[in-house]
Amino acid sequence: VTASSTASFTMDHERAGRYTVRIVPEALNRPELDAVLDGRRSLVVVSPTVERLYAPALDALAARNGPRMRRIVCVSGEPAKGLAAVERICDAALAAGMDRHGVFVAVGGGVCSDLVTMAASLVRRGVRCVRIPTTLVAQIDAAIGAKGAVNFAGRKSSLGCFHPPALVLADPVLLRTLPLPEIRAGLAEIIKIALVSDAPLFELLERVVPELLATRFQEPADDATTVMAASIRRMLEALDGNLFEDRSYRRTVDAGHTFSPKLEAAARFTIRHGEAVAVDLALSATLAARLGFLATGTSERIRRLIATAGLPITSDDLTAELCRDALAEAVRHRGGRLNLPLFDAVGHARFVDTSQVVDQVLELALEDLRLPLAEDQRVGVS
Amino acid sequence: VTASSTASFTMDHERAGRYTVRIVPEALNRPELDAVLDGRRSLVVVSPTVERLYAPALDALAARNGPRMRRIVCVSGEPAKGLAAVERICDAALAAGMDRHGVFVAVGGGVCSDLVTMAASLVRRGVRCVRIPTTLVAQIDAAIGAKGAVNFAGRKSSLGCFHPPALVLADPVLLRTLPLPEIRAGLAEIIKIALVSDAPLFELLERVVPELLATRFQEPADDATTVMAASIRRMLEALDGNLFEDRSYRRTVDAGHTFSPKLEAAARFTIRHGEAVAVDLALSATLAARLGFLATGTSERIRRLIATAGLPITSDDLTAELCRDALAEAVRHRGGRLNLPLFDAVGHARFVDTSQVVDQVLELALEDLRLPLAEDQRVGVS
């Protein structure tokens, strides 16, 4: 990853070539976008919400590009993220005469990004895809990596692809219309990336999260951009060298994603992904403290930031049994028991052997989650 | 490409890693196959013909691997090569508990290879795929590259992927049950690869094609292996460095595939792909001769070998208009008009500017195709 400014990052990958992620205003009206389109046949795929809220900007984009550009609205919502939705997009692309030089433009959240990435990987064995993510999670996480996926045969994201984008334009202005739970979900992933890799980001979040949440990342504008840029940079750094997940099972970005999948399943998806990640991070903090390598005060500080972001730090569904199941699953999926990502200080990841998480430690860590947090206490800063 | 013996070739690719293509007897009972399987969950996908003819060898493979291996029969025939068939394979793989370490084994012709390659690229964002091709075309062409595809929205191979195999085992013994038209289709691709890259292979074919055809590549066994090994080696060399077709539009392996797609479409697929390739190669020869860079005697020699292989050298559907359409399409799909692959001697490709193929040249070349071939004449060997 190289940063060409405070808000522009370029990923160089031996297999994937190069792509740029930029934080820009007016993402739908940018020379970088026009440079990729450049007279080629294109299909703009938007979520229903984007079509409703941003039709004028989309129409202006269409007017600039003429009949070579077409636009369709894709489905929204995780349950609709299936192969049928991908087929509809492919069908529209081929009906529009898309050839191997064609370009997809995905404007929407994670579902839109996943579906369009899948379609772009399949049409003519792979065409370019520009992503203009419109949710905070997509802007700092889901839409800046190489992955696309659909749910299949009742299994979440069980079919998918690695198909890196040609360009990602993250526009903070688009967040002003986002529902608050979506802002919170993004904050959960931002807190995660700060915990494993960026102490100054964590400290900035402690200061500005209430205002960022209240203003949906519009104010303070400089801090909002700093938070987004740091999150994007750290995420790209974490992906770099392992973009196709074929080099290492030690992925710091898996932090917060050990217990959360089981928690989501146990709650039958009534808990949001971001909320489950928040609970997972809180448990990871108390676990790290009970394992003896994270200061108790730091663990409390982490839980306090999560709570300040309006996110949960525990759940009735979070039982010891669920946690043991999740750890067993992690062993299977992360190439062995040595690859549990935790943190031994704010901003620093450590990989732990799951067999260290004995029943007594787990149960104490779960109890810690139920303790009330002191109101305004900052002790044991690591 | 490196050859570790006369019958084993390894492709090393910066993006794809490494894979080996080997010519072996008893492909279903090989230590190389067992080494990839190695206790992992696997799904063997076979064509209906393979299930019918080779059930004992498949059952022995299953017995060696126990309950971690499952087997299903896929559809056969180009019209059935669609996403629904891929979904069935993915469904069976997930139902069998395939994780990211799983292995697909495709045993069948080009359709089976295409479908399983697609499934293997999608399940868990890509798992390994061993190919055991059972047709001559698949053994020397379709199954040794990186591509998979399905027909979609009425368009041939309009969705697809690049997903290189983990291992390819080509077993000439499997060809003994192949229908003769399938042997001829393979010979068309072998003649193509000889024309663009291997004069000694062409000369060997001139000597042994009648017996290879009559014995379905069983006799002379040494010559059959030599022909297959040379074809595989030259094909891998042609793919090398451009396996994902992202580096160059100048692909020698596109020879024989300029006019043939339009011819197949015009004949509404009553002409086989291999036959259309044969006609394309014959026209390419007369065109090269009329353009003045291939000896007329060599052009005749090429047509004679094609005819000896029992393949057509012309077709009533091959009109000048069809050829002009095909050239226009080639300009669109091969990055401009400079990339028409022809040959200026047996064994040597040359890329020609399509604008050189003026109407008069094209019509003369088409007329040449209708001329009778002298019975046993070898003149103008290049």
Side-chain angles (χ1 to χ4, degrees):
Chain A
V1 184
T2 52
S4 60
S5 77
T6 53
S8 179
F9 307 99
T10 299
M11 277 286 264
D12 261 307
H13 193 279
E14 58 184 67
R15 246 172 98 179
R18 164 183 291 204
Y19 66 91
T20 299
V21 181
R22 302 197 66 185
I23 302 172
V24 294
E26 293 197 72
L28 292 166
N29 183 20
R30 298 289 307 183
E32 304 93 313
L33 176 58
D34 293 342
V36 178
L37 293 170
D38 192 28
R40 298 181 174 93
R41 286 185 192 273
S42 60
L43 183 70
V44 180
V45 184
V46 304
S47 69
T49 311
V50 166
E51 179 69 28
R52 185 163 48 81
L53 295 174
Y54 298 102
L58 292 165
D59 290 343
L61 177 68
R64 283 205 308 285
N65 284 276
R68 290 182 162 273
M69 173 175 280
R70 300 215 193 158
R71 181 164 95 235
I72 61 164
V73 178
C74 70
V75 296
S76 69
E78 188 68 25
K81 201 181 81 178
L83 269 184
V86 174
E87 287 185 56
R88 266 195 61 238
I89 297 169
C90 292
D91 212 12
L94 293 170
M98 188 179 285
D99 58 19
R100 59 192 285 184
H101 311 291
V103 180
F104 281 95
V105 183
V107 192
V111 170
C112 179
S113 175
D114 264 338
L115 292 172
V116 178
T117 299
M118 285 290 285
S121 83
L122 288 169
V123 167
R124 310 289 183 196
R125 293 198 179 84
V127 298
R128 280 186 287 183
C129 179
V130 175
R131 300 191 194 135
I132 302 180
T134 58
T135 66
L136 185 55
V137 175
Q139 288 186 348
I140 55 93
D141 185 326
I144 68 175
K147 298 202 270 190
V150 293
N151 306 320
F152 181 76
R155 292 169 172 89
K156 193 159 185 279
S157 298
S158 56
L159 299 187
C161 64
F162 291 100
H163 187 70
L167 172 69
V168 183
L169 297 175
D171 180 352
V173 179
L174 295 172
L175 303 179
R176 72 179 189 281
T177 52
L178 209 61
L180 275 184
E182 286 283 341
I183 299 284
R184 287 192 207 106
L187 281 170
E189 301 290 352
I190 292 173
I191 292 170
K192 173 199 74 179
I193 203 80
L195 277 174
V196 294
S197 59
D198 197 326
L201 172 59
F202 191 91
E203 285 153 21
L204 175 59
L205 289 170
E206 290 183 312
R207 289 197 301 277
V208 299
V209 148
E211 190 170 356
L212 288 179
L213 189 58
T215 67
R216 296 173 163 78
F217 266 70
Q218 303 307 297
E219 299 291 338
D222 284 355
D223 289 333
T225 301
T226 303
V227 166
M228 284 180 59
S231 301
I232 289 170
R233 180 186 196 134
R234 296 307 185 186
M235 174 60 77
L236 292 177
E237 284 171 355
L239 298 177
D240 205 0
N242 195 29
L243 191 61
F244 293 78
E245 300 182 11
D246 53 354
R247 297 296 163 88
S248 173
Y249 289 107
R250 295 201 156 186
R251 301 175 69 244
T252 54
V253 295
D254 281 342
H257 293 73
T258 303
F259 309 105
S260 54
K262 292 279 178 203
L263 187 55
E264 287 177 81
R268 299 185 175 274
F269 298 95
T270 57
I271 187 172
R272 286 163 176 274
H273 176 71
E275 293 169 344
V277 169
V279 172
D280 185 316
L281 290 173
L283 174 59
S284 297
T286 58
L287 260 183
R290 285 290 176 181
L291 287 167
F293 54 75
L294 183 72
T296 309
T298 306
S299 163
E300 187 151 336
R301 190 180 155 205
I302 292 167
R303 283 175 286 149
R304 189 177 303 109
L305 176 60
I306 294 169
T308 305
L311 289 160
I313 54 176
T314 189
S315 156
D316 290 343
D317 292 311
L318 191 74
T319 62
E321 192 190 348
L322 179 144
C323 294
R324 278 189 292 263
D325 279 357
L327 288 168
E329 182 98 353
V331 171
R332 280 195 297 277
H333 281 274
R334 293 178 190 155
R337 59 190 171 76
L338 302 174
N339 302 324
L340 174 66
L342 294 177
F343 19 86
D344 51 23
V346 162
H348 192 259
R350 167 196 285 227
F351 290 90
V352 175
D353 182 337
T354 53
S355 66
Q356 286 184 41
V357 186
V358 296
D359 287 354
Q360 197 194 356
V361 164
L362 180 60
E363 272 152 32
L364 287 170
L366 285 167
E367 274 173 34
D368 292 343
L369 285 184
R370 271 94 185 170
L371 295 177
L373 289 168
E375 259 310 298
D376 188 27
Q377 190 184 345
R378 285 223 190 139
V379 291
V381 173
S382 64
Chain B
V1 183
T2 51
S4 60
S5 76
T6 53
S8 179
F9 308 99
T10 299
M11 277 287 264
D12 260 307
H13 193 280
E14 57 183 70
R15 246 172 98 180
R18 164 183 292 204
Y19 66 91
T20 298
V21 181
R22 302 197 66 184
I23 302 172
V24 293
E26 293 197 70
L28 291 166
N29 183 20
R30 297 290 306 183
E32 304 94 311
L33 176 58
D34 293 342
V36 178
L37 293 169
D38 192 27
R40 298 180 174 94
R41 286 184 192 273
S42 60
L43 184 69
V44 179
V45 183
V46 304
S47 69
T49 311
V50 166
E51 179 69 29
R52 186 163 47 80
L53 295 175
Y54 298 103
L58 292 165
D59 290 344
L61 177 68
R64 282 205 309 285
N65 284 277
R68 290 182 163 271
M69 173 175 281
R70 301 217 193 156
R71 180 163 97 234
I72 61 164
V73 178
C74 70
V75 297
S76 69
E78 188 66 26
K81 201 181 80 179
L83 269 183
V86 174
E87 286 184 57
R88 264 194 63 237
I89 296 169
C90 293
D91 213 12
L94 293 170
M98 189 180 283
D99 58 18
R100 60 191 286 184
H101 311 292
V103 180
F104 281 96
V105 182
V107 192
V111 170
C112 178
S113 174
D114 265 337
L115 292 172
V116 178
T117 299
M118 286 289 284
S121 84
L122 289 168
V123 168
R124 310 289 183 195
R125 293 195 177 87
V127 298
R128 280 185 289 182
C129 179
V130 176
R131 299 190 193 135
I132 301 180
T134 57
T135 66
L136 185 55
V137 175
Q139 289 186 348
I140 55 92
D141 185 324
I144 68 174
K147 298 202 270 191
V150 293
N151 305 320
F152 180 76
R155 292 169 172 88
K156 193 160 184 279
S157 297
S158 56
L159 299 187
C161 65
F162 292 100
H163 187 70
L167 172 69
V168 183
L169 297 176
D171 179 353
V173 178
L174 294 172
L175 303 179
R176 73 178 189 281
T177 53
L178 210 61
L180 275 185
E182 287 283 339
I183 299 284
R184 288 192 206 106
L187 282 170
E189 301 290 352
I190 292 173
I191 292 170
K192 175 199 73 178
I193 204 80
L195 277 174
V196 295
S197 60
D198 198 326
L201 172 60
F202 191 90
E203 285 153 20
L204 176 59
L205 289 170
E206 289 183 312
R207 289 197 301 278
V208 300
V209 149
E211 190 171 356
L212 288 179
L213 189 59
T215 67
R216 296 174 163 79
F217 266 70
Q218 303 308 298
E219 299 291 337
D222 283 357
D223 288 334
T225 300
T226 303
V227 165
M228 284 180 58
S231 301
I232 288 169
R233 179 183 196 137
R234 296 306 184 186
M235 174 61 77
L236 293 176
E237 283 172 355
L239 298 177
D240 205 0
N242 194 30
L243 191 60
F244 293 77
E245 299 183 13
D246 54 353
R247 296 297 162 89
S248 173
Y249 288 108
R250 296 201 155 185
R251 301 176 69 244
T252 55
V253 294
D254 282 341
H257 294 72
T258 304
F259 309 105
S260 54
K262 292 279 179 202
L263 186 56
E264 286 177 82
R268 297 182 176 277
F269 298 95
T270 57
I271 188 172
R272 285 163 177 275
H273 176 71
E275 292 168 344
V277 169
V279 171
D280 185 315
L281 290 173
L283 173 59
S284 296
T286 58
L287 260 183
R290 285 290 175 180
L291 286 167
F293 54 75
L294 184 71
T296 308
T298 307
S299 163
E300 187 153 335
R301 190 179 155 204
I302 291 167
R303 281 174 287 149
R304 189 175 304 107
L305 176 61
I306 294 170
T308 304
L311 290 160
I313 55 176
T314 189
S315 155
D316 290 343
D317 290 312
L318 190 74
T319 63
E321 192 191 347
L322 179 144
C323 293
R324 279 189 293 265
D325 279 359
L327 288 168
E329 183 96 354
V331 171
R332 281 196 295 278
H333 282 273
R334 292 177 191 155
R337 59 190 170 75
L338 303 175
N339 302 325
L340 174 65
L342 293 176
F343 18 85
D344 51 22
V346 162
H348 192 260
R350 169 196 283 229
F351 290 90
V352 174
D353 183 338
T354 54
S355 66
Q356 286 183 41
V357 186
V358 295
D359 287 356
Q360 199 194 353
V361 164
L362 180 60
E363 273 152 30
L364 288 170
L366 285 167
E367 275 173 34
D368 292 344
L369 285 185
R370 270 93 184 169
L371 294 178
L373 289 169
E375 260 309 300
D376 188 25
Q377 188 185 347
R378 283 222 191 141
V379 292
V381 173
S382 64

